[in-house]
Amino acid sequence: MKVLLLGSGGREHTFAWKITQSKHCEALYIAPGNAGTATLGQNLNISPSDFEAVKEVVLEKKIDMVIVGPEAPLVNGIVDFFKKDEILSHIAIIGPNKKAAQLEGSKAFSKQFMKDMLIPTAAYREFTVDSKEAGLAYIDQHTLPVVLKADGLAAGKGVLICHSNDEAKKEFLAMLDGKFGEASKRVIVEQFLQGIEFSVFVLSDGKNYVMLPEAKDYKRIGEGDTGLNTGGMGSVSPVPFVTNELMEKVEREIVQPTIRGLNKKGILYQGFIFFGLIVVDGNPLVIEYNCRMGDPETQVVFPRLKNDLLDLFQAMHDNELAKIQVEVDQRAAAAVILVSGGYPEAYEKGKEIFGLDQIKNSMVFHAGTKNSGPSTLSNGGRVLAVTSYGEDFKAALKQSYQNVEKISFDGKYYRADIGFDLG
């Protein structure tokens, strides 16, 4: 099987690492990829959002399966593009169609969906510029803190937690005025939930689903979960506080109603569903849905997944996931993210990375990197993920941190407290 993987981050390097272990993988192409994926297949300098360029490569390379890593091409309809094209329609493409991808692409859609299907989530109201006065009045009488969410995709930056009504109203108006472009033309004002978060991942063929190992990631730039939100500074799997009883509740009250609800609304969902969850007083609630795998959660979930990934994807394409039994490595996995100095605000690229050849007993998944002759350079905010196995998350983290110390580049930063709240 010839495979085309779309994307360039740490998630995609982890996908590539897992795909190349498959007995079905004859050739792997990554568009555009990074310095890490270049060691596993052939990088192609095309954008995942340039559908015509993707089509050209699929035909030229005789691709059998296309795997979509990031959310933007899914929300923008790449699956529909394939299904409607007579030449491409027979090719397996892994990811939901545009209508289904609204679960991530529109917060308003997903909140209404949860409300309709009685799926537990935070109370909310939505507003546009036409209803901004009502929004300001709603914020004035809202309990603190107030959560504001841009309706559309905002590169992970469209969620704000405001600790005063004045701050919330100022940000609310800025969002409606285009702070996040088209993404915040509609704003969700939401109840703040106090609890502890984790993530659950499902692969669905539209009727059936399989559950992958759960994970917990750490979004804030500063230790102790302080400072600005990032794309993720580290992750662990399994999550110590996630008991069998809690997972049964998640499946019964959240996962199954989601699959049933999509079917009820006539939405064919084939691909990953990422459930961002929070536990409040022992009960799981949905913070958000994503229509793809998480990053950096993939860097700890896939190392624990024993199944052949292409077997899973083929079963999804053939509507045969009911026949699949997921096998999980009982070891823990933990990832620590190395980022560029200044991230998630302004940062510099092009810093030479040293020490990658010194790593032992850990996996290094590249995110923002590129090759320049014999050198590997930083090429993004999040640069590398160092993932290790261990008997428990503490042992896995200890191994990852030992190898983090061996890697250096100008401005390197990482959080030294991943897992700090897990006991």
Side-chain angles (χ1 to χ4, degrees), residues 149-280:
K149 292 183 176 180
D151 176 47
L153 297 181
K157 298 174 184 175
V159 178
L160 303 175
I161 299 172
C162 302
H163 294 273
S164 74
N165 296 113
D166 286 344
E167 179 195 7
K169 288 192 288 184
K170 180 183 174 185
E171 291 291 356
F172 173 76
L173 292 173
M175 289 169 79
L176 288 178
D177 197 39
K179 177 172 182 171
F180 299 111
E182 287 296 315
S184 60
K185 292 297 183 186
R186 184 180 300 273
V187 176
I188 310 301
V189 181
E190 192 176 273
Q191 168 195 15
F192 177 80
L193 297 174
Q194 189 71 47
I196 189 163
E197 298 178 24
F198 70 108
S199 305
V200 165
F201 307 92
V202 160
L203 181 66
S204 171
D205 61 16
K207 297 276 190 211
N208 305 293
Y209 65 89
V210 292
M211 294 184 70
L212 305 182
E214 82 281 2
K216 177 170 173 52
D217 80 324
Y218 293 81
K219 283 282 193 291
R220 301 279 187 171
I221 189 68
E223 293 181 3
D225 279 343
T226 58
L228 296 173
N229 263 335
T230 72
M233 296 297 295
S235 55
V236 300
S237 178
V239 182
F241 64 81
V242 177
T243 61
N244 290 337
E245 181 186 15
L246 179 57
M247 280 305 291
E248 285 168 9
K249 197 176 279 193
V250 167
E251 193 164 5
R252 184 175 66 250
E253 298 178 6
I254 294 171
V255 174
Q256 291 173 358
T258 297
I259 302 296
R260 282 198 305 268
L262 289 163
N263 277 291
K264 186 176 179 181
K265 288 184 177 290
I267 297 172
L268 177 65
Y269 197 109
Q270 293 186 311
F272 291 106
I273 309 177
F274 167 163
F275 299 82
L277 305 176
I278 186 167
V279 183
V280 180

Side-chain angles (χ1 to χ4, degrees), residues 64 70-71 116 178 244:
D64 302 297
E71 63 274 14
D116 292 347
N244 290 337

Side-chain angles (χ1 to χ4, degrees), residues 343-389:
Y343 175 79
E345 298 186 294
Y347 58 85
E348 293 181 357
K349 301 179 184 180
K351 306 299 185 183
E352 186 168 1
I353 302 168
F354 301 95
L356 292 172
D357 57 344
Q358 303 297 312
I359 304 304
K360 294 179 180 176
N361 302 318
S362 291
M363 297 158 279
V364 179
F365 296 117
H366 291 234
T369 64
K370 66 177 181 179
N371 287 320
S372 178
S375 301
T376 302
L377 307 180
S378 66
N379 194 41
R382 291 188 296 169
V383 180
L384 300 166
V386 178
T387 297
S388 308
Y389 291 111

Side-chain angles (χ1 to χ4, degrees), residues 313-333:
F313 290 156
Q314 193 62 52
M316 186 216 83
H317 178 69
D318 297 338
N319 300 301
E320 292 185 343
L321 276 178
K323 297 179 181 177
I324 297 290
Q325 187 74 38
V326 168
E327 298 176 47
V328 178
D329 192 318
Q330 293 307 303
R331 290 176 295 176

Side-chain angles (χ1 to χ4, degrees), residues 40-104:
L40 298 168
Q42 183 182 342
N43 285 353
L44 304 171
N45 189 25
I46 61 170
S47 165
S49 294
D50 186 342
F51 297 172
E52 290 293 342
V54 172
K55 175 180 177 178
E56 196 174 308
V57 164
V58 165
L59 299 178
E60 178 193 331
K61 304 292 187 185
K62 297 182 170 58
I63 298 297
D64 302 297
M65 180 179 284
V66 177
I67 299 162
V68 187
E71 63 274 14
L74 295 168
V75 171
N76 292 331
I78 191 168
V79 173
D80 309 71
F81 176 83
F82 268 68
K83 300 296 184 190
K84 290 173 184 173
D85 190 303
E86 285 185 17
I87 304 173
L88 301 177
S89 59
H90 70 285
I91 293 167
I93 180 162
I94 310 306
N97 61 34
K98 186 173 185 174
K99 192 174 182 182
Q102 286 182 99
L103 273 186
E104 177 169 3

